[in-house]
Amino acid sequence: MARENVDLNTVVIEMRNIVKRFGNFTANDGIMLKVHKGEIHAILGENGAGKSTLMNQLYGLLKPTSGDIIVNGKKVDMNNPKDAINAGIGMVHQHFMLVQPFSVTENIVLGMEPVKGMTVDMKTARQNVVDISEKYGLAIDPDAKIEDISVGMQQRVEILKALYRGADVLILDEPTSSLTPAEITELIQIMHNLTKDGKSIILITHKLKEIKESADFCTIIRRGKYIQTVDVDECSEDDLASMMVGRKVTFKVDKPKQKAGEVILDVKDLHGVDYRGVEILKGLDLQVRAGEIVGVAGIDGNGQTEMVEIITGLRKATKGEVIVNGVNVMNKSPRFGFENGVSSIPADRQKHGLVLDFSVEDNLILQNFKEGEFSKNGILNRKAIKDFATKSIEKYDIRPENCEERPAGTLSGGNQQKVIIAREVQNDKDLLIAVNPTRGLDVGAIEYVHKYIVEQRNKGKAVLLVSFELDEIMSLSDDIAVIFDGKIVDRLPGNEADENTLGLMMAGGKKDE
């Protein structure tokens, strides 16, 4: 049954027979959506199913090819986001709409700045940001530059930006993809508090557990077509997964036992500072052996981002060693690390993983374009590159089909992630570093990604997995290293870990407490 605060007699948003075409490609094909006052309505579908495209039309970023949008009983034309905001609709995008050189405060109040006389009153703006962040329990540094903060913090800024505008209907496109379990719980409580005040929320997420914990109704979309709308309380997670992908999904990771080999990655006494110049890594030690997956579990902000960036050459360390295959790669270039056996799936796919204006096929060979297969005498072999891309697109289920020449930036977030995973796994390096590898992926795609990560481990590669998803850490890892306050504080076998124990250790406690 729907929750008490849902007013089924008041429809605030209705989308009727929405069709959206891009040339010969149909992204939405007759989509239906109805959202009531006080309701949390989830939209569920595979990567590339057309969910974000649908919401971009509701928010005025795209115009439907055909179909109607009705807000509070009146048909409206959403020509731009201003029209949507005027209609009481706000949106938190999956890919951040933030100005990188601006501060957190400047981004949140952008377009709605308080003024004093003829100038922007930044003191009041800053206090407004602090007040709203404290009200919703989303702690941030109001003075930090966007370009200097983590993906998780940027996601918080996006959420706060939408809350600051006080929309009656709030669209959240993958809002929890970079949040910790505790932050997700807090956000769900925030959503429930908002609906108690009569606001409505449209939630796009691939996390079935979150849908079960937060949503009243769920609309399922598959390959651009409307499938059905269901009462969430009457469906299991397995039911939702099957409706989304059109087949039964296996959540269990099949990982045969095997003995780990020689040490591939050896991090010794690693020290480093964050963007503020404050020491965040305080003597971190970590080893990963051939044929094992070591998961790093920790609350965001304890040094895992800095650790990965140092290992991959994106950040300088102040002290220590990073040995890969016997070679110290610390404070060397990313290319040096790559040539000595390091491959990585980065936390921010758009900032560090892809060249968005490049085609899918060019992104798939970014590190290898000089190799014999793809070039000769400095001239690219376009046929070989296209053939490689075609095989990769089919093997890794990158959608839409035949997207070799499309700019990577035009793909859905989940399919951009698949491009990176296809490239990095096929690079076939001795060390694969995977940071939140399934962020923004649907359950069917997660199943594929886990299979390929375990496949690397089974082939004798060393895998360092950094994830905020404890279920992912526990199901994939042979060993789990817990990071707290810039150090690995403990390490335990993956099959001996449970969520409560890890949660305690991530907060600085001991596993035997």
Side-chain angles (χ1 to χ4, degrees):
M1 295 293 292
R3 293 182 174 88
E4 293 179 359
N5 48 294
V6 179
D7 181 0
L8 293 174
N9 295 316
T10 305
V11 178
V12 293
I13 297 291
E14 189 171 2
M15 303 183 79
R16 299 175 182 168
N17 295 310
I18 298 296
V19 175
K20 180 60 184 176
R21 297 189 181 94
F22 299 94
N24 295 325
F25 175 67
T26 303
N28 292 150
D29 189 1
I31 303 291
M32 310 289 287
L33 177 67
K34 187 180 288 187
V35 181
H36 304 89
K37 183 176 182 179
E39 175 183 337
I40 300 176
H41 194 113
I43 299 180
L44 182 64
E46 294 178 278
N47 299 122
K51 307 180 298 299
S52 295
T53 299
L54 183 69
M55 289 299 99
N56 283 338
Q57 292 168 85
L58 179 58
Y59 193 59
L61 290 168
L62 296 171
K63 284 191 69 67
T65 304
S66 63
D68 296 322
I69 297 174
I70 294 101
V71 180
N72 294 320
K74 296 181 180 179
K75 182 180 174 181
V76 295
D77 290 324
M78 295 296 186
N79 296 305
N80 51 56
K82 186 176 180 181
D83 289 341
I85 292 168
N86 290 338
I89 300 170
M91 185 170 183
V92 176
H93 299 272
Q94 179 182 4
H95 299 303
F96 310 136
M97 303 290 185
L98 300 173
V99 183
Q100 293 290 316
F102 281 18
S103 71
V104 167
T105 295
E106 289 167 337
N107 271 275
I108 291 173
V109 304
L110 189 63
M112 295 184 64
E113 301 92 338
V115 295
K116 191 174 185 179
M118 298 292 291
T119 61
V120 175
D121 185 356
M122 287 308 299
K123 183 177 179 181
T124 299
R126 185 185 187 281
Q127 189 58 50
N128 290 343
V129 168
V130 170
D131 290 344
I132 197 170
S133 66
E134 289 178 352
K135 177 180 178 181
Y136 293 108
L138 292 169
I140 44 91
D141 178 357
D143 304 314
K145 293 284 193 291
I146 296 298
E147 61 194 0
D148 291 331
I149 63 177
S150 68
V151 175
M153 287 297 175
Q154 290 183 40
Q155 184 71 280
R156 291 189 190 190
V157 174
E158 283 284 19
I159 293 169
L160 285 168
K161 189 170 70 173
L163 293 173
Y164 178 83
R165 282 153 176 75
D168 291 323
V169 178
L170 189 61
I171 305 166
L172 303 180
D173 192 353
E174 300 286 354
T176 66
S177 57
S178 297
L179 302 183
T180 65
E183 289 169 332
I184 291 169
T185 300
E186 290 172 1
L187 178 62
I188 290 173
Q189 186 58 55
I190 290 165
M191 290 192 290
H192 287 153
N193 291 340
L194 288 168
T195 57
K196 286 176 184 176
D197 289 335
K199 297 188 185 297
S200 305
I201 295 173
I202 302 174
L203 174 67
I204 300 175
T205 180
H206 298 108
K207 299 179 181 180
L208 303 178
K209 181 180 178 182
E210 288 175 19
I211 290 177
K212 289 292 295 179
E213 290 179 352
S214 64
D216 303 298
F217 295 96
C218 180
T219 291
I220 294 99
I221 300 173
R222 192 189 310 146
R223 294 183 180 266
K225 294 181 180 291
Y226 172 80
I227 302 300
Q228 65 184 110
T229 298
V230 297
D231 187 322
V232 171
D233 285 348
E234 296 177 0
C235 297
S236 67
E237 290 185 29
D238 285 342
D239 293 334
L240 292 170
S242 297
M243 284 186 282
M244 177 177 66
V245 301
R247 61 176 175 82
K248 185 172 177 59
V249 177
T250 302
F251 292 99
K252 186 176 182 297
V253 177
D254 185 16
K255 191 177 65 184
K257 288 184 178 180
Q258 67 181 32
K259 186 176 180 180
E262 62 183 10
V263 175
I264 300 297
L265 172 67
D266 193 2
V267 180
K268 302 177 181 179
D269 192 29
L270 191 64
H271 291 253
V273 298
D274 64 10
Y275 68 93
R276 300 165 297 177
V278 176
E279 186 174 50
I280 192 165
L281 294 175
K282 304 172 182 178
L284 182 143
D285 297 297
L286 180 67
Q287 287 188 338
V288 186
R289 297 177 177 274
E292 75 171 350
I293 300 172
V294 174
V296 176
I299 298 170
D300 190 17
N302 277 276
Q304 53 269 67
T305 297
E306 290 77 8
M307 175 191 71
V308 169
E309 289 184 352
I310 288 171
I311 295 172
T312 56
L314 294 175
R315 183 186 292 264
K316 300 291 186 184
T318 56
K319 181 183 176 184
E321 290 183 306
V322 177
I323 310 298
V324 178
N325 284 326
V327 178
N328 191 353
V329 302
M330 193 179 81
N331 294 349
K332 302 292 187 180
S333 68
R335 185 72 195 180
F336 184 86
F338 178 79
E339 290 174 349
N340 283 278
V342 180
S343 188
S344 70
I345 300 166
D348 191 331
R349 54 178 164 254
Q350 294 199 341
K351 189 174 182 180
H352 295 136
L354 298 167
V355 181
L356 297 177
D357 292 336
F358 281 18
S359 66
V360 169
E361 62 184 36
D362 284 346
N363 271 282
L364 283 166
I365 53 102
L366 274 182
Q367 298 112 317
N368 301 320
F369 67 93
K370 291 183 179 179
E371 294 186 0
E373 180 184 358
F374 301 126
S375 68
K376 187 176 182 180
N377 298 325
I379 299 174
L380 293 176
N381 184 340
R382 298 307 315 187
K383 183 179 184 306
I385 293 170
K386 184 174 288 295
D387 288 346
F388 175 75
T390 299
K391 292 174 183 175
S392 298
I393 288 166
E394 180 180 357
K395 180 177 180 180
Y396 291 87
D397 193 30
I398 299 167
R399 300 180 188 177
E401 298 174 355
N402 306 315
C403 63
E404 292 90 340
E405 296 181 5
R406 286 185 58 165
T410 66
L411 302 187
S412 70
N415 281 291
Q416 290 178 14
Q417 188 77 346
K418 289 182 186 179
V419 172
I420 296 170
I421 289 165
R423 180 185 68 217
E424 299 302 326
V425 168
Q426 291 180 108
N427 280 338
D428 201 33
K429 297 296 182 180
D430 291 332
L431 172 64
L432 173 65
I433 301 173
V435 184
N436 294 320
T438 57
R439 174 181 173 240
L441 298 186
D442 61 69
V443 291
I446 289 171
E447 187 181 36
Y448 278 112
V449 172
H450 285 176
K451 180 183 78 171
Y452 288 122
I453 288 176
V454 172
E455 184 181 277
Q456 291 296 293
R457 171 252 197 199
N458 295 346
K459 288 168 63 177
K461 308 298 183 183
V463 180
L464 177 62
L465 171 67
V466 179
S467 176
F468 296 131
E469 301 290 340
L470 287 185
D471 288 343
E472 182 166 68
I473 288 283
M474 291 187 293
S475 63
L476 285 180
S477 302
D478 297 295
D479 260 23
I480 299 175
V482 179
I483 189 170
F484 176 74
D485 195 26
K487 292 182 179 181
I488 300 298
V489 295
D490 215 333
R491 185 160 166 162
L492 67 162
N495 58 9
E496 294 181 9
D498 62 76
E499 195 165 324
N500 290 333
T501 300
L502 286 177
L504 174 67
M505 295 166 65
M506 287 161 58
K510 302 294 184 182
K511 62 184 176 184
D512 54 354
E513 289 182 357

